[in-house]
Amino acid sequence: MDPVIVKETLIKVLSQIQADSGLECPALTGATKPIENIPKFDSKVWPVATTILATEIKAEIPNDVNIFVDEATKLARTIDETAVFVCNLLKKQGEQEAAAA
C-alpha cells in the first residue's frame, strides 16, 4: 500500500465527513492533524473515518486502533503520519497472516 494513495484517500474521506456533517473543513494537507485541526473531529468521528478509509482502500483496520493518535506518545498524528502508520499496520498484518499460513 502506498502512503500517497492512503493520504489522498484520507483527505477525501475527512472532507466528505465534514461536508456530510454540515461542518467547516479547513484546507487539508499532509501536515494537518485531524484531531486538533478539524472541527468536532473526536472519538465519535474517528472510528467512522477509519472504517470509511478501510473500505475505500480495500483493507482491514481493526476497530480498536486509533490511527489518528500515536499510542506511545499520545500525540495527535498528522495526515502524513497517519498514512504511513496505516501502511505499516497493513504490512504487519500481511506478515502475520503469511506467518500463520
Side-chain angles (χ1 to χ4, degrees), residues 20-81:
D20 291 348
S21 302
L23 295 169
E24 179 187 339
C25 187
L28 301 177
T29 68
T32 304
K33 292 183 178 184
I35 289 179
E36 294 177 0
N37 304 128
I38 298 177
K40 301 202 187 265
F41 191 84
D42 57 20
S43 61
K44 292 178 183 157
V45 180
W46 69 255
V48 175
T50 302
T51 301
I52 296 171
L53 175 65
T55 302
E56 291 285 321
I57 63 172
K58 297 175 178 49
E60 193 173 316
I61 301 172
N63 290 333
D64 61 342
V65 176
N66 184 347
I67 64 173
F68 299 101
V69 174
D70 184 312
E71 281 299 310
T73 64
K74 303 297 183 203
L75 296 174
R77 287 190 174 105
T78 64
I79 288 176
D80 280 342
E81 291 167 341

